[in-house]
Amino acid sequence: RTALMFLSRREGLKDAATRLPALGRVAKRFIAGERMEDAVSAVKELNARGLSVSFDHLNETVRTESETREEVREYLRLLARIDQVGARGNVSLKLTQCGLLFDRELALANARTVVAEAARRGSFVRIDMEQSEFTQVTLDIVRALHREFGQAHVGAVLQSSLYRTEADARALCAEGIRIRLCKGAYLEGPEVAYQDKRDVDASFVRTLHVLLGSGLYHGIATHDERMIDAALTYAREHQVAPGAYEFQMLHGIRRDLQERLAQEGHPVRVYVPYGKHWYPYFMRRLAERPANVWFVLKNFLQG
């Protein structure tokens, strides 16, 4: 996992990877495509199967103000397209796309533009969480947007791998902020994060209890059936109705589980990424599960 996470940050390898047809074929399992219309097509099929979605335009290497403006324009076009085709979905946005790497105020202004458009259309923006160095500033910006637009239009993401997450969940719930809880896809050091998977899982369960007991509509983002069972058990024991929260999963992973939960009456949302800058996201998906690496190798061997 450490090696794959390291490779995800190597700019030269990103360029080489995009020129490998075999790798591109494999990436299509996890990424809807490079164009917005690729994502729209994927979402129509997911909606037809009873699943809602969260669109995500992939681009984590934004370094200039002009690039951030183009990201904002893409999201405004995306929100309009969602309305146009009647897709059952919303959007996820990373603050590094908005300029957080070099200008916090610019990031806030750009994110505000996207959330304002979502609010105008009666939609919702999930502000994604990135590496731990951005955790506090990301939550600060979410809080600022929440004060202006409310819980119906903007929400946060927390990662159970971080020590601080349970406390953050309690604070955000007290403020009425909706949360997506995930385990975390970034490699973090022992000064900020649990290093043992069992500790990450225990943190996830403690935090999902906070979320499900809050009375707010949250997202439980996991493919781990033990975590799903923990959520279902808590909900059953505390009379939390299935429609009071949702499960969230990634495009191309555990489709069987997505459909099973939906058929059992649980809201399920699928995270659908698209865009030319798919390499870092793809490498993190490989790092999460050894089975994904074998899937890649099999495709390479098949030519």
Side-chain angles (χ1 to χ4, degrees), residues 179-199:
I179 296 165
R180 173 202 291 153
L181 174 65
C182 63
K183 291 187 181 181
Y186 297 93
L187 196 64
E188 304 284 1
E191 67 280 3
V192 296
Y194 299 107
Q195 302 300 296
D196 191 300
K197 183 180 182 299
R198 291 171 296 182
D199 293 329

Side-chain angles (χ1 to χ4, degrees), residues 17 22 37 55 64 86 185 270 276:
E37 289 310 305
F55 288 85
T64 67
V270 179
K276 295 180 180 179

Side-chain angles (χ1 to χ4, degrees), residues 80-287:
R81 190 70 176 122
I82 290 171
D83 272 2
Q84 186 179 38
V85 301
R88 194 166 70 255
N90 54 39
V91 301
S92 292
L93 176 70
K94 286 181 170 59
L95 292 179
T96 52
Q97 293 174 279
C98 297
L100 188 59
L101 289 173
F102 57 91
D103 189 334
R104 171 178 171 162
E105 293 307 314
L106 176 65
L108 172 57
N110 283 331
R112 185 191 179 281
T113 298
V114 176
V115 176
E117 179 65 8
R120 187 180 74 81
R121 294 180 177 276
S123 191
F124 180 83
V125 179
R126 184 75 67 180
I127 304 298
D128 272 335
M129 189 58 71
E130 302 177 70
Q131 296 96 324
S132 61
E133 64 191 279
F134 301 122
T135 299
Q136 189 58 54
V137 64
T138 298
L139 295 182
D140 290 345
I141 288 176
V142 168
R143 286 181 163 108
L145 295 169
H146 176 263
R147 285 193 294 270
E148 183 173 1
F149 298 103
Q151 67 176 249
H153 303 298
V154 66
V157 176
L158 294 178
Q159 302 171 112
S160 72
S161 59
L162 301 183
Y163 300 143
R164 61 179 290 169
T165 291
E166 185 180 353
D168 282 334
R170 293 185 185 280
L172 292 170
C173 287
E175 297 169 53
I177 297 175
R178 291 164 55 184
I179 296 165
R180 173 202 291 153
L181 174 65
C182 63
K183 291 187 181 181
Y186 297 93
L187 196 64
E188 304 284 1
E191 67 280 3
V192 296
Y194 299 107
Q195 302 300 296
D196 191 300
K197 183 180 182 299
R198 291 171 296 182
D199 293 329
V200 175
D201 289 351
S203 172
F204 191 98
V205 172
R206 291 194 305 271
T207 306
L208 77 81
H209 289 173
V210 173
L211 302 192
L212 294 179
S214 71
L216 299 173
Y217 188 84
H218 297 297
I220 309 302
T222 182
H223 307 96
D224 187 334
E225 293 193 55
R226 294 169 305 136
M227 300 299 101
I228 291 170
D229 288 343
L232 295 174
T233 298
Y234 182 94
R236 183 173 59 252
E237 292 176 350
H238 294 81
Q239 292 78 54
V240 181
Y245 62 97
E246 67 183 27
F247 290 107
Q248 299 186 359
M249 300 187 190
L250 300 172
H251 179 61
I253 300 179
R254 290 306 307 269
R255 297 169 186 167
D256 59 325
L257 185 56
Q258 295 169 15
E259 293 191 10
R260 191 191 84 200
L261 288 168
Q263 289 167 1
E264 292 174 356
H266 302 285
V268 178
R269 186 176 305 276
V270 179
Y271 182 89
V272 179
Y274 75 96
K276 295 180 180 179
H277 302 280
W278 50 264
Y279 175 81
Y281 174 86
F282 174 63
M283 294 301 287
R284 289 198 297 274
R285 299 292 77 79
L286 295 187

